[in-house]
Each structure stands twice: as C-alpha cells, then as structure tokens.
Amino acid sequence: MKKPLVFIVSIFAMIGIIFGIAACGKNSFLGDGGKSFNSNKEIKNGTGNYSTVAKEYAAGSEDLVDLDNIFAVGKDVLITVDEVKQAEMFYTSSGYDKAEAEKTAISYMEKYNSLYVEALKNGYFVTDEEINAKIEELKKMFSESDQTDELKQLMNGFESEEAYWEYEYEVYKKSLPIEKYRIFLEKEFSEKETSEKGSEEYQNEWIKWYDTYQENLAKEQNFIVVSEMEEDALVELLERYIAD
C-alpha cells in the first residue's frame, strides 16, 4: 500500500528539515547588522576548524564547522548559521511571519543542539551502518509513496538527488543520537508515570515533561549569539571547540 505524503513529510518536520542547505547563503541570517568574522585574521585559527561540540565530547562527533558558519556558542555545543536558516525557512513555509519564524527557529535549534550534546554525554552515539540503514529506509518510503512529484520537490534545493541523500546522511548523524536518547528518557519517564502508557493523559504528560526538559537543557547551555559578542570573548569561548 502506498504511503501518503503527509506521513513522510512528518519525518522531516520532526527533525526540522524540509529545505536544503544549498538554498541557504552563509551569514545571510545575520543580516547587515551582524558581525562577519570570516575575514578577521586576528581570531585564533582564522576561518576555523571547530568541532560542533566541546572537546570533552568531540569523540562522539566528527562534525566540523568554519568560523563564519557559527551562529551561537553554548557551554558544550555550537549552533550553525545553516541550521538556524533551515529552521527559519521551515517555519516561514508553515505560515509564521518572519520575526516569529526567526525567534522560533532559534529556540528550536537551541533545544535540538542541547539534546544532541546531552545524548553524546550519555553515550548515545551512532555508527555509519545505522545511518546508512536509516537512509535506505527513507529511500524505500520515497519509492512506496504515490506522490513522487511532491517528494521530488523536497530535493529542489540540491544539485542532485545524490547531494540530497548526502545531506540526509549528515542530518542523521545528529538526529539518531537524539532519537536514541529520547527513547531512553521516555522509558525512564514511563517507569515513574502513573497514567496508563498509550493513553491521552500519558502522552500529554510525556510531552509536557519532555518540552520542559529540553528547555532546561538549553538554559544550561547559555547560548550567546556570535554577532552580539566582542572578539576577545568569542576567542575565549571557542577555545573549547578548536579541533585537534
């Protein structure tokens, strides 16, 4: 039986992606008023070779980012310009006005990245085999859909279908550890929750708890937007992210 488009699109919405990185210009999110550090040679490591997570947890992530693609710096994790721009595009396409989309996108990426580094801290990593299995699963859902034209539109921001799947690979490097950690958290929650698992009451309580948990993690990261930072303070914060 062919799967409806809404089923597949919900997967993208869940991890905050429908639009591709190729459609986003670097630093475009910062606007004319934002600082551009990519040509500032005084900052250590120049345009950078920074891990997306602090050194203590870098073993769980091979992701590196250039200095000009850092949107915000947290205690243990970086948020990229590309991530925020993608999320903003998603919320705009969902009917949010620009200001609301921008605010919501930043909040979403703060929570998403906080969960990611928390997953790494708790030992929830991901292998290449697991990522490839997820990609194959997604490809199968694409092929089984009876709305292939609409699905192909999701790839319009990419140079080719191959480039799209390469991008999805990068997405799952982050989303799979989060998924594993979320499953663990819900298991712990279910052992303490008194309402019947699967009931509407249970679901509402879980969502409330999980939302609060994410918000608290983001607060602990104390994210600072790069465009609002002085150069010396930025250099000091990025010491924890310089890749070896």
Side-chain angles (χ1 to χ4, degrees):
M1 181 179 179
K2 297 286 187 177
K3 292 183 175 63
L5 176 64
V6 67
F7 173 77
I8 297 175
V9 171
S10 67
I11 294 174
F12 290 86
M14 180 176 63
I15 55 176
I17 56 161
I18 285 183
F19 296 92
I21 247 177
C24 309
K26 283 189 176 181
N27 279 337
S28 59
F29 186 86
L30 298 177
D32 295 334
K35 294 181 181 179
S36 178
F37 292 99
N38 56 318
S39 61
N40 192 334
K41 302 301 181 183
E42 295 180 6
I43 291 184
K44 184 173 283 190
N45 273 29
T47 54
N49 188 24
Y50 299 94
S51 173
T52 56
V53 296
K55 293 176 182 178
E56 298 96 305
Y57 316 109
S61 170
E62 298 178 353
D63 296 331
L64 300 177
V65 64
D66 290 333
L67 185 62
D68 65 349
N69 194 25
I70 299 174
F71 175 77
V73 182
K75 181 167 64 75
D76 300 308
V77 64
L78 302 176
I79 299 175
T80 70
V81 173
D82 288 331
E83 287 178 315
V84 175
K85 192 64 180 179
Q86 288 170 48
E88 184 185 353
M89 292 171 68
F90 171 74
Y91 287 115
T92 300
S93 72
S94 300
Y96 290 65
D97 62 36
K98 181 173 176 55
E100 187 180 16
E102 178 178 328
K103 181 180 179 180
T104 308
I106 293 171
S107 175
Y108 177 86
M109 294 317 306
E110 286 180 348
K111 290 184 285 188
Y112 184 79
N113 281 283
S114 298
L115 270 172
Y116 172 58
V117 75
E118 199 67 17
L120 297 183
K121 288 180 185 181
N122 284 276
Y124 289 94
F125 307 127
V126 65
T127 65
D128 291 339
E129 290 76 14
E130 288 174 301
I131 300 173
N132 287 325
K134 281 289 184 181
I135 295 299
E136 290 304 313
E137 180 183 335
L138 197 57
K139 286 181 178 180
K140 182 179 179 182
M141 285 192 291
F142 266 55
S143 66
E144 291 177 351
S145 171
D146 58 359
Q147 295 175 292
T148 53
D149 290 341
E150 289 89 343
L151 291 169
K152 286 179 180 178
Q153 289 179 15
L154 296 176
M155 302 181 183
N156 283 346
F158 297 83
E159 294 179 358
S160 64
E161 183 174 338
E162 181 181 358
Y164 171 78
W165 291 117
E166 288 175 358
Y167 169 67
E168 282 297 312
Y169 185 93
E170 295 302 314
V171 167
Y172 277 113
K173 282 168 68 174
K174 228 174 198 182
S175 66
L176 282 179
I178 292 174
E179 181 182 336
K180 289 181 177 182
Y181 187 48
R182 182 194 58 76
I183 291 171
F184 164 76
L185 289 173
E186 186 172 4
K187 183 177 183 296
E188 282 205 329
F189 173 84
S190 67
E191 292 172 353
K192 300 174 183 178
E193 176 58 28
T194 56
S195 58
E196 183 181 354
K197 188 173 183 179
S199 68
E200 184 177 352
E201 181 184 358
Y202 174 92
Q203 196 63 23
N204 288 338
E205 289 300 317
W206 159 245
I207 291 172
K208 185 194 304 182
W209 183 91
Y210 191 52
D211 284 347
T212 300
Y213 181 72
Q214 293 178 75
E215 289 170 2
N216 289 337
L217 287 180
K219 287 178 183 177
E220 289 173 11
Q221 286 298 321
N222 191 29
F223 287 104
I224 304 176
V225 177
V226 166
S227 62
E228 299 173 355
M229 298 176 65
E230 296 296 329
E231 181 181 317
D232 290 344
L234 177 62
V235 171
E236 183 178 348
L237 282 179
L238 288 178
E239 286 287 338
R240 299 190 65 201
Y241 298 91
I242 296 173
D244 295 329

